[in-house]
Amino acid sequence: MAEQLNRMYEDLNPPHQLPLFGALRPLADSKPTACVELADARHFTGEIEDYADIIITSPPYLNRYDYSRIYSLELCLAFCKDFNELKQVRHSLLRSHIESREPPTNDVKHPALIEVLDNLKGQNLNNPRIPVMIKGYFEDMNLAIKELYKVCQPGARVALVIGNSRFHGELIPVDLLLSELAADAGFGVERIIIARYKGNSSQQMGRYGRVPVRESICIWRKNA
């Protein structure tokens, strides 16, 4: 444990720090304030007094994790009165899991995404809803990226941590696709930093071999 803590401490100190944004300007003399908004990142309706100049975030990965199921106990203790409410939460989440519903929009027509969906069509998938999830994920992330652009002030930067995915042997370059959606929304894509490579599930490796999957930090900038 001590060795692990020491490694974590070293990661937070130079020269291990990644220079994501360059030199940051010092805080003003006044004490910083915090504001918490409860809203859907795809349709942000809160009133914002000051636009953001830095956003650091990590949305759900396209990995079938249903967070409403993982945290169902916590949700039922404090947020959901019964299973029907829990199911409503599940169906309203960003579409990164199999329980996601058909996307209400059809705005993302990126050639790489269409190719992935075409390659999965007719395949003997372990869950037939995987293509629906993939399509819904990029539709939802497209909406969220547009909202990010709205709340950024000119010159603001976004650092988005995301992992690529692999289904039925089909590799999905999520970092590249989201960066192209960010460019369509008006961001400039400064760079994509590869943070690490992840392995695959035992089922994927047994059937299709091991292909390292990137986990990346996408750096976008709203042009002045």
Side-chain angles (χ1 to χ4, degrees):
M1 176 64 76
E3 183 181 353
Q4 178 65 26
L5 290 173
N6 283 329
R7 283 202 299 267
M8 292 168 64
Y9 176 78
E10 290 175 0
D11 287 344
L12 296 174
N13 288 277
H16 302 284
Q17 288 179 338
L18 291 173
L20 299 183
F21 303 113
L24 299 178
R25 65 175 184 268
L27 292 173
D29 293 335
S30 60
K31 292 183 178 180
T33 58
C35 176
V36 178
E37 292 276 356
L38 177 61
D40 188 331
R42 296 163 293 187
H43 307 285
F44 189 75
T45 56
E47 295 182 3
I48 303 174
E49 295 180 0
D50 297 311
Y51 290 108
D53 54 9
I54 291 178
I55 294 177
I56 302 173
T57 185
S58 181
Y61 290 11
L62 181 58
N63 56 11
R64 295 180 58 172
Y65 284 12
D66 179 358
Y67 290 101
S68 68
R69 192 177 299 277
I70 295 171
Y71 296 107
S72 58
L73 177 60
E74 291 86 345
L75 287 169
C76 290
L77 283 174
F79 300 97
C80 300
K81 292 184 296 186
D82 51 35
F83 180 73
N84 285 331
E85 283 196 4
L86 179 62
K87 189 163 64 172
Q88 290 174 10
V89 170
R90 178 168 297 145
H91 292 167
S92 68
L93 294 177
L94 192 140
R95 295 170 174 85
S96 62
H97 57 94
I98 294 300
E99 296 288 336
S100 62
R101 304 294 93 186
E102 291 278 355
T105 56
N106 188 30
D107 298 328
V108 181
K109 299 180 175 66
H110 193 283
L113 176 60
I114 294 172
E115 180 181 350
V116 167
L117 295 174
D118 285 344
N119 290 343
L120 293 176
K121 192 179 299 181
Q123 299 292 336
N124 185 25
L125 303 173
N126 59 17
N127 191 302
R129 293 191 57 80
I130 287 176
V132 174
M133 174 192 69
I134 295 172
K135 174 64 173 172
Y137 179 82
F138 285 102
E139 292 291 336
D140 280 359
M141 284 303 301
N142 185 49
L143 295 173
I145 288 169
K146 289 178 178 178
E147 294 299 302
L148 284 179
Y149 188 83
K150 289 179 184 177
V151 301
C152 282
Q153 66 179 12
R157 284 186 173 93
V158 174
L160 183 135
V161 181
I162 199 67
N164 291 349
S165 303
R166 193 180 184 213
F167 294 104
H168 203 71
E170 189 72 25
L171 188 63
I172 305 176
V174 179
D175 52 0
L176 299 180
L177 286 169
L178 293 185
S179 291
E180 295 217 12
L181 294 179
D184 291 342
F187 284 108
V189 179
E190 292 196 336
R191 53 182 167 154
I192 298 175
I193 302 168
I194 300 175
R196 64 169 181 153
Y197 284 94
K198 303 184 297 177
N200 315 127
S201 67
S202 57
Q203 297 92 333
Q204 291 260 11
M205 288 191 290
R207 189 169 181 180
Y208 305 105
R210 187 180 187 278
V211 176
V213 177
R214 289 193 305 270
E215 192 168 21
S216 306
I217 307 170
C218 302
I219 307 296
W220 308 330
R221 182 187 180 103
K222 183 172 182 177
N223 297 323

